[in-house]
Structures are given as C-alpha cells and as structure tokens.
Amino acid sequence: AWPAVLDSDGRIPGWRCVLGDRARQGLSIKDGNLVISCSERGHVQMDSALVDLGGTGLAAVRVSCSVKASDDFEGTVSCGVAECAASEGGGYGQVKLAQYELRPKHRDDGLWLEASRKVVLLRSATHVRFVFTGEFKGQLELPSPFLGKDGKE
C-alpha cells in the first residue's frame, strides 16, 4: 500500500523515484492511490525497495500493475521485475530486468492500462524489486502494484 502522504521532499518513502522534469511532473496521494502527473511528455521511473528471496523457495514471481489514465493521457508505461544478486563490491547488482508494457482496457470508469505476468527467476537472483517506467503526458492514478508469489493477487 502507498503511504497516506509523501515525505517532506515529495517522495515515496522506500522507493527510488526519477522524474525527468520536476517542474512539469509531480507525485501525490489521492484516495490511497499514487498520482503521477506530467504536464508535458516526460520520463518517469520508480523502483521499490529490494525484496529478499532468502528462504522463500520461489522459482517465479507474479508482477501486476493497473493504472487509471486521464482523458488527455498520451504515451506508454510499463512495469516489471528487476532481479538482483550480491555484487563483489558489496550491495546488490541487477542481473536481469523483465518489463511489460501496460495495455489499454476500457472500463465503465474510464481508460485503464494493465499488465500481469509470471516471471521465472534466475537461480542466481537473491532479491527482486518492482520497477515502473513511463514516457507520457497526462495523469496516472496507480493503486498499489503487486509483486509476489505467482497465483496470489
């Protein structure tokens, strides 16, 4: 779940967020959902904190994401899984990235973009993180994404 409010810097605690142009892009929380606004076409990337796979026995995970797009939305967005392993210099390095473009679905309450995929993990992966990227203009409303055991959404 997203926090009730963003931190004092306008960021999401525990996430790495890159906005191409903070003067024209912004993040906010509305009704428990994350809202990403871009007044002009721009790049957005958000990475969750690392999730330790130790002791889980998982050979695959499911990544799912749905976003409600504003009427003036133009662009593309994707979600995915970054697989990471311990690096020689300490910390964790990315060993694989699987990304999936969110596809349009028209619902009664407007345009939604969605993706849900099973990702088979490399044996060397010790950690995973959720990755969201986009190049767009408009506004997206993002309920909490899912990254977890396949078959549980």
Side-chain angles (χ1 to χ4, degrees):
W2 299 114
V5 295
L6 300 177
D7 68 16
S8 60
D9 293 331
R11 298 179 191 272
I12 307 161
W15 287 71
R16 178 181 161 267
C17 300
V18 177
L19 302 177
D21 183 347
R22 287 196 171 267
R24 293 182 172 85
Q25 297 171 303
L27 303 174
S28 61
I29 301 290
K30 175 184 167 192
D31 300 327
N33 297 329
L34 177 67
V35 177
I36 308 167
S37 301
C38 299
S39 62
E40 292 183 16
R41 192 175 184 102
H43 178 77
V44 172
Q45 179 168 341
M46 301 184 340
D47 301 336
S48 74
L50 286 173
V51 177
D52 188 349
L53 296 172
T56 66
L58 291 176
V61 294
R62 172 140 317 256
V63 59
S64 298
C65 185
S66 296
V67 296
K68 184 176 182 186
S70 61
D71 292 339
D72 64 344
F73 174 83
E74 296 175 6
T76 59
V77 291
S78 63
C79 70
V81 177
E83 297 176 47
C84 302
S87 61
E88 289 182 23
Y92 299 94
Q94 183 173 300
V95 293
K96 180 182 167 189
L97 177 62
Q99 283 193 282
Y100 305 97
E101 185 175 338
L102 278 63
R103 301 292 184 189
K105 301 266 182 175
H106 294 278
R107 298 183 186 174
D108 291 342
D109 62 344
L111 173 66
W112 285 75
L113 306 169
E114 302 177 342
S116 181
R117 295 286 194 288
K118 176 181 177 178
V119 178
V120 176
L121 300 171
L122 295 173
R123 287 187 182 181
S124 62
T126 59
H127 293 73
V128 293
R129 74 171 78 230
F130 176 84
V131 177
F132 178 90
T133 60
E135 186 78 31
F136 66 92
K137 174 186 174 188
Q139 183 171 293
L140 297 175
E141 193 169 329
L142 174 62
S144 291
F146 177 84
L147 174 60
K149 184 176 179 183
D150 188 39
K152 291 178 94 175
E153 284 186 72

